Amino acid sequence: MKNLFRKKIVLPLLAVMLFLTTTAFKNDFFEIAKQIEIFTTLFKEINMNYVDETNPGDLMDTAIKSMLNDLDPYTQFYNEQDVEASRINNAGDYTGIGAKVLTLKDKLVIVEPYKDYAADKAGLKAGDEIIKVDKVTVADFKDDAANLLQGAAGTEVTITYKRQGKTNTVKIIRESLEIKAVPHYAMVDEKTGYVVLRKFNSKASAETIGAIRALKNQGATQLILDLRGNPGGLLSEAVNVTNIFVPKDQLVVTTKSKVKKYNKTYYTKRDAIDSQIPLVVLIDGSSASASEIVSGALQDMDRAVVVGARSFGKGLVQRPKPLTYGTQMKITISRYYTPSGRCIQSLDYWNRDENGKATRVKKENYNAFKTRNGRDVFDGGGVQPDIEIALAKQSPITKAILDEHLIFNFATNYYYNNSVEELDNFDFSDADFKVFRSFLKSSGFDFKTKTENAFNTAIDVAEEENLNDEINDEYKKLMGAIQAFKTNAINDNKEQLKSLLSDEIIKRYFYSEGLYTYYTENNTEIKKALSILNNPAQYASILR
């Protein structure tokens, strides 16, 4: 009877499923081949017959990027230079002038010269605008001009830059630079160690272990792990860093994909360095990807108290795929899930709004999950801290000021107009903040709220429908109220702006090393972390 059932029902069913699967694959393959052929013939015809001269490379670059823009911002195409830059970022080695550089349309801006490296020794300062590298004018360079600064150690490069309106030229000898995953660690008080982990490159876990062991030798019996501003990196290193604090064979993260081979579970593989030491993890809106794996896993396991602001919300996993001619692409292959089962991806790039922008999960649609101790944690966008610090969450006006580099530019002016001899004596006063307000006004800063943009759109529609006369007075009142809000918004965010201004200014005089020292005495999040760790009952109650 069983054999008959197998012959009459099961085998035909399997045959049908195999046929459908094979047919679906063939249909997909045919569609891909068809579209490639259409594009190839179109590309050929344009380049052969268009009325003006075309640049096939530029056209193809635009086509590829436009296609990828419809997916998500992490699926990207890399030319040969980009591939090398990615290798440097993950390996932690770098050969160049020894400075963090921002690429703008017509110039390169020194964001931070690394202490005692080539750029610093040559006298370059944050805010210097590089306009020429050797004989190449930055404004005329089509690719990422920062690549011009890289080269073999020991080679010379001539930099032409502007500082405070004056043009200067300097020769710099390139040198090797080790990009540290852990740029700083120190004792905050007699029993609390503080570790800054800034990126998840291949050395992240090893450097973190080294820092923790050194701190424990200095008497640390509790720890603060700072992941603020950490954009992520290698998933394997996120698992290894988590493994420092939790035992072997613990689930850290799961990846789920439409491609079966990318569905994976990642467990800790070694014994923990210390599975009992009280731990606070600091995160903010710039903590992403691998940072969220670590903070989310430690939160789900009730192994650490998470303090700060909601993290970025990047729950997408990428994998590099080699292409021809030394190029490469990074493609999103899966989503990752924390041990409790939550995906913390915040933006939905596949269901965009009417303006083509990725949509965000509404708070009322968040799903609740449970930590090991039964605490509620939620999906829907980033890791939510156990203890939120209001000052750590950037307000819309603060974001707008940062996006226009106005805090950075003000710090540059401050550096050339003020003297700060000792870190302990630095204080960004209310008088200084008044000067900053004047600087914003003189720079033409105009913050547009979402509400303001919506009302402007509405009044345009009203004009089309001849309703503007009826609603004009009300519109003026509303816009007046918005303007009053905008006028007060800078003062309302005074403490947050003063904190960011202090951080940027301190780096100008004392580098990042000085900023970390300043943090241990003045930073709000660190102070809160200390108060929790120094109160064992509170620490335990948060995790219960």
Side-chain angles (χ1 to χ4, degrees):
M1 187 68 184
K2 286 184 178 178
N3 288 336
L4 184 64
F5 177 77
R6 187 179 293 113
K7 286 180 180 179
K8 288 191 171 184
I9 305 295
V10 177
L11 291 179
L13 182 61
L14 288 173
V16 170
M17 289 174 65
L18 181 63
F19 172 76
L20 290 174
T21 304
T22 306
T23 303
F25 174 77
K26 285 182 178 178
N27 287 340
D28 285 347
F29 184 80
F30 172 75
E31 186 63 22
I32 292 170
K34 172 185 171 183
Q35 296 304 325
I36 289 174
E37 187 174 353
I38 291 171
F39 180 80
T40 301
T41 53
L42 178 146
F43 189 67
K44 177 182 174 182
E45 293 298 330
I46 285 177
N47 283 287
M48 289 180 63
N49 298 306
Y50 189 71
V51 62
D52 294 322
E53 287 297 319
T54 59
N55 185 315
D58 287 348
L59 284 176
M60 183 60 74
D61 190 63
T62 301
I64 291 173
K65 289 177 180 176
S66 296
M67 175 176 63
L68 297 183
N69 282 342
D70 278 345
L71 301 176
D72 63 75
Y74 312 112
T75 298
Q76 296 176 343
F77 171 72
Y78 292 90
N79 58 33
E80 298 95 323
Q81 292 83 5
D82 295 331
V83 171
E84 176 61 12
S86 179
R87 185 195 68 78
I88 288 169
N89 189 50
N90 287 331
D93 58 353
Y94 165 81
T95 302
I97 66 169
K100 184 178 179 181
V101 178
L102 172 67
T103 303
L104 297 178
K105 186 177 180 181
D106 57 349
K107 60 192 174 187
L108 297 168
V109 179
I110 300 290
V111 174
E112 180 185 359
Y114 300 130
K115 187 178 181 181
D116 296 330
Y117 280 96
D120 184 37
K121 289 184 283 190
L124 288 181
K125 302 290 183 183
D128 288 347
E129 300 174 354
I130 299 174
I131 56 174
K132 199 171 183 180
V133 180
D134 287 328
K135 296 181 179 180
V136 180
T137 302
V138 171
D140 296 335
F141 195 73
K142 292 184 178 180
D143 295 322
D144 186 351
N147 294 325
L148 297 170
L149 301 175
Q150 297 180 19
T155 58
E156 185 180 78
V157 61
T158 301
I159 304 290
T160 303
Y161 65 95
K162 286 185 177 180
R163 176 186 294 171
Q164 299 289 286
K166 295 181 180 179
T167 301
N168 306 280
T169 301
V170 65
K171 293 182 185 295
I172 298 177
I173 304 297
R174 295 185 180 97
E175 60 184 342
S176 296
L177 167 68
E178 181 184 5
I179 303 173
K180 288 186 175 293
V182 177
H184 179 81
Y185 63 89
M187 295 294 290
V188 181
D189 61 19
E190 67 278 359
K191 60 180 180 180
T192 310
Y194 171 62
V195 180
V196 179
L197 178 54
R198 277 291 172 263
K199 60 169 58 186
F200 284 87
N201 61 23
S202 60
K203 302 176 183 179
S205 59
E207 289 185 22
T208 305
I209 290 170
I212 290 171
R213 284 178 172 157
L215 291 169
K216 290 182 76 172
N217 287 336
Q218 295 175 46
T221 57
Q222 52 195 27
L223 289 172
I224 300 170
L225 178 63
D226 193 344
L227 297 180
R228 291 175 297 174
N230 187 323
L234 300 175
L235 185 151
S236 59
E237 281 299 289
V239 176
N240 291 339
V241 169
T242 306
N243 198 171
I244 294 171
F245 306 105
V246 299
K248 189 177 180 180
D249 298 327
Q250 301 298 303
L251 176 64
V252 176
V253 62
T254 302
T255 61
K256 297 180 183 179
S257 170
K258 73 173 184 180
V259 181
K260 189 175 180 180
K261 68 179 180 178
Y262 296 143
N263 293 334
K264 293 188 177 182
T265 51
Y266 295 84
Y267 291 85
T268 52
K269 297 179 179 179
R270 305 176 184 87
D271 293 331
I273 300 300
D274 194 328
S275 62
Q276 300 299 319
I277 191 168
L279 175 67
V280 170
V281 176
L282 304 181
I283 61 171
D284 64 9
S286 297
S287 304
S289 189
S291 296
E292 295 173 297
I293 292 175
V294 173
S295 55
L298 293 175
Q299 186 180 55
D300 282 359
M301 297 178 197
D302 298 301
R303 179 60 190 87
V305 173
V306 180
V307 172
R310 181 180 281 276
S311 62
F312 182 81
K314 182 182 179 293
L316 302 176
V317 182
Q318 287 73 46
R319 172 167 290 195
K321 293 286 185 181
L323 305 175
T324 56
Y325 296 102
T327 61
Q328 195 177 91
M329 80 173 296
K330 186 174 68 174
I331 182 169
T332 297
I333 58 167
S334 57
R335 292 178 175 86
Y336 73 70
Y337 297 78
T338 67
S340 66
R342 54 184 169 142
C343 180
I344 51 179
Q345 173 64 23
S346 62
L347 294 175
D348 184 353
Y349 297 101
W350 300 272
N351 293 289
R352 299 174 184 255
D353 63 17
E354 62 276 9
N355 297 316
K357 292 184 178 180
T359 55
R360 185 179 291 272
V361 179
K362 293 181 179 179
K363 194 169 183 178
E364 56 266 28
N365 295 327
Y366 288 179
N367 298 301
F369 296 81
K370 295 291 185 182
T371 69
R372 285 185 179 175
N373 288 343
R375 296 186 299 139
D376 283 336
V377 287
F378 299 90
D379 64 4
V383 174
Q384 184 73 28
D386 301 309
I387 303 296
E388 283 196 89
I389 306 296
L391 204 63
K393 183 180 179 181
Q394 291 178 0
S395 66
I397 194 165
T398 298
K399 287 180 181 177
I401 290 170
L402 286 168
D403 287 345
E404 294 190 27
H405 310 295
L406 294 172
I407 285 177
F408 180 86
N409 293 339
F410 179 82
T412 300
N413 290 345
Y414 186 98
Y415 177 79
Y416 290 109
N417 290 286
N418 296 273
S419 176
V420 179
E421 300 296 334
E422 295 182 10
L423 181 59
D424 291 342
N425 295 333
F426 175 76
D427 176 55
F428 193 78
S429 66
D430 288 345
D432 291 327
F433 189 74
K434 212 171 189 178
V435 176
F436 175 67
R437 281 182 59 95
S438 298
F439 172 80
L440 289 180
K441 190 173 182 179
S442 64
S443 68
F445 174 68
D446 185 20
F447 170 55
K448 293 285 186 184
T449 66
K450 290 181 180 180
T451 304
E452 188 175 7
N453 290 331
F455 279 137
N456 285 334
T457 301
I459 200 67
D460 288 342
V461 174
E463 287 180 4
E464 292 175 8
E465 297 179 343
N466 295 319
L467 293 172
N468 53 308
D469 289 339
E470 282 76 6
I471 65 173
N472 204 37
D473 289 340
E474 286 76 9
Y475 172 76
K476 286 180 180 178
K477 288 177 183 177
L478 286 167
M479 294 307 288
I482 291 173
Q483 196 59 47
F485 162 79
K486 288 164 63 175
T487 301
N488 295 327
I490 294 174
N491 277 339
D492 291 343
N493 290 273
K494 179 180 176 180
E495 291 308 310
Q496 185 173 71
L497 290 168
K498 282 183 70 174
S499 177
L500 292 168
L501 286 159
S502 296
D503 291 354
E504 190 60 49
I505 290 168
I506 285 168
K507 282 197 296 183
R508 302 306 173 95
Y509 296 96
F510 306 105
Y511 303 88
S512 289
E513 292 83 350
L515 178 59
Y516 294 132
T517 301
Y518 179 81
Y519 272 173
T520 58
E521 295 290 335
N522 299 278
N523 183 256
T524 303
E525 293 94 305
I526 293 177
K527 286 182 177 179
K528 184 62 178 179
L530 267 177
S531 72
I532 293 169
L533 288 169
N534 288 332
N535 186 338
Q538 183 187 14
Y539 179 85
S541 69
I542 294 170
L543 296 177
R544 269 200 294 271

